[in-house]
Amino acid sequence: MEQFIETFFSWENFKASIPSVIRGFTTNLSLMFLAEACVLVWGMVLALLRSARSRALLPLRWLTVGYVDLFRAIPGLVLIYMIGFGIPIAGIPWIGSWSQFQLAALALTILYGAYVAEVYRAGIESIHWSQTAAARSLGLSQGKTMRFVVLPQAVRRVVPPLLNDFIGLQKDTAFIGIIGVLDGFRRAQIYAGQHFNLTSFTGLALCYVVITFPMTRFTDRLLKRDQRRMAARG
């Protein structure tokens, strides 16, 4: 037991490693905020394309279905590795010169855009058809109906599941160390390798807990508020 405590909970190693781990963790947080902003926009684009009923947009709709199915099936670790190393090797114009941090943000946007698109689509389809019919009867176009009537209600309904996806995204930022980004995981790994002690990973885990717990409790609070609102309407 004493060896276990020394390996994972050494106070001396914690004090020595935590400043470096926190510096690396700020990289994870920066990536999280950048990726979340991009995912919100990209997921909405995908959801609107998949929800489109125009015959002219049918090819894009099927492409979107394929995109969502494909990237929901690929593990985040694999996608980050493929994009982080594959794009520079392939020499793709413009994005081939991006930094590893930017490529990691691109990978997470591609991956979580597929998940968030489905969350948005569920919210859009949860709006009763009578809302659309009433808006169209008032003379609103299909685009304006979606923008001013459907989307405001849909987005409000899907905030809790969106936060759940972002909790997952925040944890997946730990994968970026495999492509050379000096994040919290990579710094903890370097310290552990130099000192043969895993307390640095305990410090990193604590950083994630401090960020994730408030998000989880906030999500639970939103879910309960929605349940109370639905019960009141019933």
Side-chain angles (χ1 to χ4, degrees):
M1 187 63 181
E2 182 179 347
Q3 183 61 37
F4 175 84
I5 294 175
E6 177 62 25
T7 300
F8 291 99
F9 301 100
S10 168
W11 178 243
E12 293 301 322
N13 283 290
F14 180 83
K15 289 192 297 182
S17 64
I18 197 63
S20 177
V21 170
I22 290 177
R23 284 199 302 272
F25 187 66
T26 58
T27 301
N28 295 95
L29 291 179
S30 299
L31 178 61
M32 179 188 71
F33 291 126
L34 174 60
E36 284 182 0
C38 295
V39 165
L40 284 173
V41 176
W42 180 230
M44 179 62 74
V45 171
L46 293 173
L48 291 176
L49 287 175
R50 186 161 184 180
S51 301
R53 294 293 180 262
S54 171
R55 295 180 63 87
L57 295 177
L58 187 60
L60 287 177
R61 183 183 178 189
W62 284 112
L63 283 174
T64 303
V65 172
Y67 173 98
V68 170
D69 289 345
L70 173 64
F71 287 106
R72 290 175 71 193
I74 299 177
L77 181 64
V78 174
L79 187 62
I80 290 174
Y81 193 92
M82 291 176 65
I83 290 179
F85 288 120
I87 287 181
I89 292 174
I92 298 176
W94 188 50
I95 62 175
S97 61
W98 283 13
S99 67
Q100 295 299 91
F101 180 88
Q102 292 170 319
L103 291 175
L106 174 63
L108 289 173
T109 299
I110 292 173
L111 178 66
Y112 276 88
Y115 289 99
V116 170
E118 288 298 276
V119 173
Y120 277 139
R121 185 171 70 92
I124 291 172
E125 293 182 353
S126 71
I127 304 303
H128 198 271
W129 64 268
S130 61
Q131 299 278 332
T132 300
R136 295 303 301 274
S137 69
L138 292 174
L140 272 68
S141 65
Q142 184 65 38
K144 289 185 177 180
T145 299
M146 180 64 70
R147 178 182 176 185
F148 296 111
V149 178
V150 177
L151 285 183
Q153 298 180 74
V155 170
R156 186 169 63 246
R157 291 185 180 184
V158 301
V159 168
L162 279 178
L163 288 176
N164 278 326
D165 280 339
F166 288 152
I167 289 172
L169 187 154
Q170 186 256 336
K171 290 185 290 186
D172 281 357
T173 61
F175 292 147
I176 64 174
I178 66 167
I179 60 174
V181 179
L182 203 59
D183 68 326
F185 178 85
R186 187 63 178 150
R187 288 178 181 270
Q189 187 180 41
I190 291 172
Y191 184 91
Q194 292 174 341
H195 297 84
F196 302 99
N197 188 278
L198 298 181
T199 303
S200 56
F201 283 101
T202 302
L204 177 63
L206 182 61
C207 290
Y208 278 100
V209 166
V210 168
I211 296 297
T212 302
F213 269 23
M215 293 177 65
T216 303
R217 297 285 73 79
F218 182 61
T219 301
D220 291 344
R221 182 177 179 183
L222 289 177
L223 285 171
K224 290 180 180 179
R225 188 184 67 179
D226 286 345
Q227 291 171 355
R228 288 195 298 267
R229 182 163 56 238
M230 293 299 292
R233 289 179 180 177

